[in-house]
């Protein structure tokens, strides 16, 4: 997108290629280098990541298929390394009773294990708002427990993760506070496995996104 102007609120108005406009905080913007297709080298914005490792991109299925023999060792190594840093959460858990949520939105269709979209997507992890200086009443539970909120861009799931889901609760919470946007939110690669759990790669924080 292109920065059009700075609003009175301090946010920047961003004009996207599809005609939409967004108002984002400056700290949520991060310049990214346009990557090239791993097979032919073409550079453009709409390239698809390898769903196995999400470390290289391709401009077409033909390029990806033709490059697989070369990329296979790297992909297997990266995928194996990612699995050692994965933490699991249960996306089917209902919202804890008594929790009030600001900014809740309707859910999209659920991702099915084994489907094309299950192999790789992005999740957003937010720490409790009270942990970053905002009032406790904005996100609270009747048991007083502080939980992470984790969801994907399509809201196919939107769950709270507490100390009963370790090591995800501690590992992701620390990553967000240490390297996330203002210490309150961060984005990670994830996958939905056949066992119905979402496995989040905690080793790598992704660039901030506009959702």
């Amino acid at each position: 997108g292109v920065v059009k102007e700075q609003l009175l609120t301090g946010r920047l108005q961003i004009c996207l290629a599809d005609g939409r406009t967004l108002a984002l905080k400056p700290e949520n913007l991060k310049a990214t280098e346009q990557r090239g297709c791993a097979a032919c080298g073409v550079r453009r914005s709409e390239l698809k990541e390898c769903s196995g490792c999400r470390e290289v991109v391709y401009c077409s299925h033909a390029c990806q298929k033709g490059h697989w023999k070369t990329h296979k060792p790297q992909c297997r190594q990266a995928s194996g390394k990612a699995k050692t840093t994965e933490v699991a959460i249960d996306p089917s858990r209902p919202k804890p009773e008594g929790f009030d949520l600001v900014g809740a939105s309707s859910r999209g269709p659920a991702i099915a294990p084994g489907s094309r979209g299950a192999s790789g997507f992005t999740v957003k992890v937010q720490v409790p708002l009270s942990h970053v200086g905002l009032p406790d009443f904005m996100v609270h539970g009747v048991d007083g427990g502080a939980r992470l909120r984790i969801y994907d861009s399509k809201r196919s799931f939107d769950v709270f993760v507490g100390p009963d889901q370790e090591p995800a609760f501690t590992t992701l919470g620390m990553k967000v506070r240490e390297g996330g946007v203002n210490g309150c939110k961060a984005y990670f690669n994830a996958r939905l496995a056949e066992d119905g759990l979402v496995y989040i790669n905690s080793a790598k924080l992704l660039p901030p996104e506009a959702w």
Side-chain angles (χ1 to χ4, degrees):
V2 178
V3 177
K4 184 177 180 181
E5 62 179 326
Q6 186 164 18
L7 306 176
L8 294 177
T9 59
R11 293 177 177 246
L12 298 175
Q13 186 175 12
I14 311 297
C15 296
L16 303 180
D18 61 6
R20 293 181 298 149
T21 59
L22 300 173
L24 302 177
K25 294 178 181 179
E27 61 267 22
N28 286 356
L29 297 177
K30 183 176 180 179
T32 56
E33 182 181 352
Q34 196 173 62
R35 292 188 288 174
C37 174
C40 69
V42 65
R43 293 179 180 273
R44 61 174 186 242
S45 57
E46 296 180 359
L47 297 178
K48 301 295 184 181
E49 290 182 328
C50 168
S51 61
C53 65
R54 305 194 74 178
E55 291 192 354
V56 299
V57 292
Y58 295 98
C59 64
S60 66
H61 177 69
C63 271
Q64 183 174 13
K65 185 176 180 181
H67 191 248
W68 173 239
K69 187 174 181 179
T70 300
H71 176 57
K72 183 177 179 179
Q74 175 194 353
C75 186
R76 293 289 168 83
Q77 182 180 12
S79 299
K81 184 178 179 181
K83 288 182 179 179
T84 65
T85 58
E86 286 181 336
V87 291
I89 65 167
D90 182 357
S92 65
R93 284 197 174 192
K95 185 179 74 171
E97 184 178 354
F99 258 73
D100 296 325
L101 181 60
V102 174
S105 60
S106 58
R107 288 192 176 187
I111 302 174
S115 65
R116 186 175 181 181
S119 61
F121 52 90
T122 301
V123 296
K124 181 179 182 179
V125 179
Q126 296 177 191
V127 299
L129 296 179
S130 57
H131 286 204
V132 291
L134 293 178
D136 221 4
F137 69 83
M138 295 185 74
V139 175
H140 68 279
V142 293
D143 61 356
R147 292 175 169 87
L148 306 177
R149 182 188 177 195
I150 303 178
Y151 54 95
D152 65 338
S153 62
K154 296 181 179 179
R155 298 299 200 281
S156 64
F157 66 90
D158 189 346
V159 296
F160 287 96
V161 172
D164 58 330
Q165 291 197 68
E166 290 289 10
F169 176 71
T170 297
T171 301
L172 296 174
M174 289 180 60
K175 289 288 185 178
V176 173
R177 293 183 185 95
E178 293 173 357
V181 179
N182 292 333
C184 64
K185 63 182 178 181
Y187 300 81
F188 300 86
N189 285 326
R191 63 184 177 89
L192 177 65
E194 293 291 343
D195 59 7
L197 299 180
V198 170
Y199 290 84
I200 301 172
N201 182 3
S202 64
K204 181 181 179 182
L205 274 69
L206 302 178
E209 300 186 17
W211 53 274

